[in-house]
Amino acid sequence: MRDFRIAPSLLSADFACLGQEVRDVIAAGADIIHFDVMDNHYVPNLTVGPLVCEAIRPHTQAPIDVHLMVKPVDSLVPMFAKAGADIITFHPEASEHIDRTLGLIKESGCKAGLVFNPGTSLSYLDHVMDKIDMVLIMSVNPGFGGQSFIPHALEKVRAARQRIDEYTAKHGGEIWLEVDGGIKVDNIAAVAAAGADTFVAGSAIYGQPDYQAVIAAMRAELAKVA
Ligand code: DX5
Ligand code: ZN
């Protein structure tokens, strides 16, 4: 059985008390903090930068998973590494030199990953698997929380699972497969069955008063997946 990780997205948290929101969700059983960075250029929304990452860093030991929805990418990488990011992912269309950006993330001491929009081909993985620690499949178009899960993302998850398994069987190592957008208690098992091991959930968790109950319900669903 795969290890399953739940990564609440702070995008739906109360921004007036982010430190508390981080502590609460980890205490409620989450594994990772998903940190959505939007620049009003690559995506039509504007969120938070390295200063806020640095501010939440002392509030948890859990990995901070920085999802960069920005263009250009490279100048922000060292800033987020310094601000305490553990994982940094970016969208391949947003970088002129994907291999260089991945290298930059690894050199800065973080795990690196590529993010695939619903319309983006997985072929961007073809020549860079050796530098990848995480593949992130978007099941919504990036920019906003609270959107509906796009069902054809499941095929993409299956295809990504196959690529990862083939690569790691040959070369070893570990590559996480994360899915982001519209994940709820009632679809998380299907996403896991398609091959995901790491689940971002923003509104499903932070939109409810009892974070622990939601995370427990998600884990109960995941336990049904062999
Ligand atoms: C969307 C973000 C997601 C978002 C998920 O662009 O990357 O992380 O916060 O939110 P939900 O779970 O509400 O779809
Ligand atoms: Zn995200």
Side-chain angles (χ1 to χ4, degrees), residues 9-12 34 36 38 43 67 69 91 136 138 140-148 180-184 200-204:
S9 162
L10 285 182
L11 192 59
S12 294
H34 185 80
D36 286 307
M38 305 186 186
V43 290
H67 174 192
M69 288 161 274
H91 292 248
L136 171 46
M138 294 304 298
V140 297
N141 286 292
F144 303 95
Q147 303 181 80
S148 301
D180 183 4
I183 293 191
K184 314 272 174 215
V200 177
S203 50

Coordinates of all heavy atoms in Angstrom, one line a residue, residues 9-12 34 36 38 43 67 69 91 136 138 140-148 180-184 200-204, ligand 1:
S9 N -4.4 23.3 1.6 CA -4.0 24.5 0.9 C -4.4 25.7 1.8 O -5.6 25.9 2.1 CB -4.6 24.6 -0.4 OG -4.5 26.0 -0.9
L10 N -3.4 26.5 2.1 CA -3.7 27.7 3.0 C -4.5 28.7 2.2 O -5.0 29.7 2.9 CB -2.3 28.4 3.4 CG -1.5 27.7 4.5 CD1 -0.3 28.5 4.7 CD2 -2.3 27.5 5.7
L11 N -4.7 28.5 0.9 CA -5.5 29.5 0.1 C -6.9 29.7 0.7 O -7.4 30.8 0.6 CB -5.6 29.0 -1.3 CG -6.1 30.0 -2.3 CD1 -5.2 31.2 -2.4 CD2 -6.2 29.3 -3.7
S12 N -7.4 28.7 1.3 CA -8.8 28.8 1.9 C -8.8 29.0 3.4 O -9.8 29.0 4.1 CB -9.6 27.5 1.6 OG -9.8 27.5 0.2
H34 N 0.4 23.1 2.0 CA 0.5 23.5 0.6 C 0.3 25.0 0.5 O -0.7 25.6 1.0 CB -0.6 22.8 -0.2 CG -0.6 23.0 -1.6 ND1 0.3 22.4 -2.5 CD2 -1.3 23.9 -2.4 CE1 0.1 22.8 -3.7 NE2 -0.9 23.7 -3.7
D36 N 0.1 28.3 -1.8 CA -0.1 28.7 -3.2 C 0.3 30.1 -3.5 O -0.2 31.1 -2.9 CB -1.6 28.6 -3.5 CG -2.1 27.2 -3.6 OD1 -1.5 26.5 -4.5 OD2 -3.0 26.8 -2.9
M38 N 0.6 33.1 -6.2 CA 0.0 33.5 -7.4 C 0.4 35.0 -7.7 O 0.4 35.8 -6.7 CB -1.5 33.5 -7.4 CG -2.1 32.1 -7.0 SD -3.9 32.0 -7.1 CE -4.2 30.4 -6.5
V43 N -1.2 33.6 -13.4 CA -2.6 33.3 -13.1 C -3.3 34.6 -12.7 O -2.7 35.5 -12.2 CB -2.8 32.3 -11.9 CG1 -2.4 30.9 -12.4 CG2 -2.0 32.7 -10.7
H67 N 3.8 26.0 -4.1 CA 3.3 25.8 -5.5 C 3.4 27.2 -6.2 O 2.5 28.0 -5.9 CB 1.8 25.3 -5.4 CG 1.1 25.2 -6.7 ND1 -0.2 25.0 -6.8 CD2 1.6 25.3 -8.0 CE1 -0.6 24.9 -8.1 NE2 0.5 25.1 -8.8
M69 N 2.8 29.6 -8.9 CA 2.0 30.0 -10.1 C 2.4 31.4 -10.5 O 1.7 32.3 -10.3 CB 0.5 29.9 -9.8 CG 0.0 28.4 -9.6 SD -1.6 28.3 -8.7 CE -1.0 28.3 -7.0
H91 N 5.2 25.6 -12.9 CA 4.5 25.2 -14.1 C 5.5 25.3 -15.3 O 6.1 26.4 -15.5 CB 3.3 26.1 -14.4 CG 2.2 25.9 -13.4 ND1 1.0 25.3 -13.8 CD2 2.1 26.1 -12.1 CE1 0.2 25.2 -12.7 NE2 0.8 25.7 -11.7
L136 N 3.0 17.2 -9.9 CA 1.7 17.7 -9.4 C 0.7 17.9 -10.6 O 1.0 18.6 -11.5 CB 2.0 19.1 -8.7 CG 0.8 19.9 -8.3 CD1 -0.3 19.1 -7.6 CD2 1.3 21.1 -7.4
M138 N -2.8 19.2 -11.9 CA -3.9 20.1 -11.5 C -5.2 19.5 -12.0 O -5.3 19.1 -13.2 CB -3.7 21.4 -12.2 CG -2.5 22.3 -11.7 SD -2.4 22.6 -10.0 CE -4.0 23.5 -9.7
V140 N -7.9 21.3 -11.6 CA -8.7 22.5 -11.9 C -7.7 23.4 -12.7 O -6.5 23.1 -12.6 CB -9.2 23.3 -10.7 CG1 -10.2 22.5 -9.9 CG2 -8.0 23.8 -9.8
N141 N -8.2 24.4 -13.4 CA -7.2 25.4 -13.9 C -6.8 26.3 -12.7 O -7.6 26.7 -11.9 CB -7.9 26.2 -15.0 CG -8.0 25.4 -16.3 OD1 -7.0 25.1 -16.9 ND2 -9.2 25.0 -16.6
P142 N -5.5 26.6 -12.6 CA -5.0 27.2 -11.5 C -5.4 28.7 -11.3 O -5.7 29.3 -12.3 CB -3.4 27.2 -11.6 CG -3.2 27.1 -13.1 CD -4.4 26.3 -13.6
G143 N -5.5 29.2 -10.1 CA -5.9 30.6 -9.9 C -6.8 30.8 -8.7 O -6.8 31.8 -8.1
F144 N -7.6 29.8 -8.5 CA -8.7 30.0 -7.4 C -8.9 28.7 -6.6 O -8.9 27.6 -7.2 CB -10.0 30.5 -8.0 CG -9.8 31.7 -8.8 CD1 -9.6 31.7 -10.2 CD2 -9.8 33.0 -8.2 CE1 -9.4 32.9 -11.0 CE2 -9.6 34.2 -8.9 CZ -9.4 34.1 -10.3
G145 N -9.3 28.9 -5.4 CA -9.8 27.7 -4.6 C -11.2 27.5 -4.9 O -11.9 28.4 -5.5
G146 N -11.8 26.4 -4.4 CA -13.2 26.2 -4.5 C -13.8 25.8 -5.8 O -15.0 25.9 -6.0
Q147 N -12.9 25.5 -6.8 CA -13.4 25.1 -8.1 C -13.8 23.6 -8.1 O -13.3 22.8 -7.3 CB -12.4 25.3 -9.2 CG -12.0 26.8 -9.3 CD -11.0 27.0 -10.4 OE1 -11.3 27.1 -11.6 NE2 -9.7 27.0 -10.1
S148 N -14.5 23.1 -9.2 CA -14.9 21.7 -9.3 C -13.8 20.9 -9.9 O -13.2 21.3 -10.9 CB -16.2 21.5 -10.1 OG -17.2 22.3 -9.5
D180 N -4.1 18.4 -7.2 CA -4.5 19.7 -6.6 C -5.7 20.3 -7.3 O -5.7 20.5 -8.5 CB -3.3 20.7 -6.7 CG -3.5 22.0 -6.1 OD1 -4.6 22.2 -5.5 OD2 -2.6 22.9 -6.2
G181 N -6.8 20.5 -6.6 CA -8.0 21.1 -7.1 C -9.3 20.3 -7.0 O -9.4 19.3 -7.6
G182 N -10.2 20.8 -6.2 CA -11.5 20.2 -6.1 C -11.5 18.8 -5.4 O -12.4 18.1 -5.6
I183 N -10.5 18.6 -4.6 CA -10.5 17.3 -3.9 C -11.3 17.4 -2.6 O -11.2 18.3 -1.8 CB -9.0 16.8 -3.6 CG1 -8.3 16.5 -4.9 CG2 -9.0 15.6 -2.6 CD1 -7.0 15.8 -4.8
K184 N -12.2 16.4 -2.5 CA -13.1 16.4 -1.3 C -13.2 15.0 -0.8 O -12.6 14.0 -1.4 CB -14.6 16.7 -1.8 CG -14.7 17.9 -2.8 CD -14.9 19.1 -2.0 CE -14.9 20.3 -2.9 NZ -14.3 21.5 -2.4
V200 N -3.9 17.6 -2.2 CA -4.1 19.0 -1.8 C -5.6 19.2 -1.6 O -6.4 18.8 -2.4 CB -3.6 20.0 -2.8 CG1 -3.9 21.5 -2.4 CG2 -2.1 19.8 -3.1
A201 N -6.0 19.8 -0.5 CA -7.4 20.2 -0.3 C -7.5 21.5 0.4 O -7.0 21.6 1.5 CB -8.1 19.1 0.5
G202 N -8.1 22.5 -0.2 CA -8.2 23.8 0.4 C -9.6 24.0 1.0 O -9.7 23.8 2.2
S203 N -10.5 24.3 0.1 CA -11.9 24.6 0.6 C -12.5 23.4 1.4 O -13.3 23.6 2.3 CB -12.8 25.0 -0.5 OG -12.7 24.1 -1.6
A204 N -12.2 22.1 1.0 CA -12.8 21.0 1.6 C -12.4 20.9 3.1 O -13.2 20.5 3.9 CB -12.3 19.7 0.9
Ligands
DX5_1 C1 -5.6 26.5 -7.2 C2 -4.6 26.1 -6.1 C3 -5.1 25.1 -5.2 C4 -6.4 25.5 -4.5 C5 -7.1 24.2 -4.1 O1 -4.9 27.3 -8.2 O2 -3.4 25.7 -6.7 O3 -4.1 24.6 -4.3 O4 -6.1 26.2 -3.3 O5 -8.3 24.6 -3.5 P1 -9.5 23.6 -3.5 O6 -9.1 22.4 -2.8 O7 -10.6 24.4 -2.8 O8 -9.9 23.3 -5.0

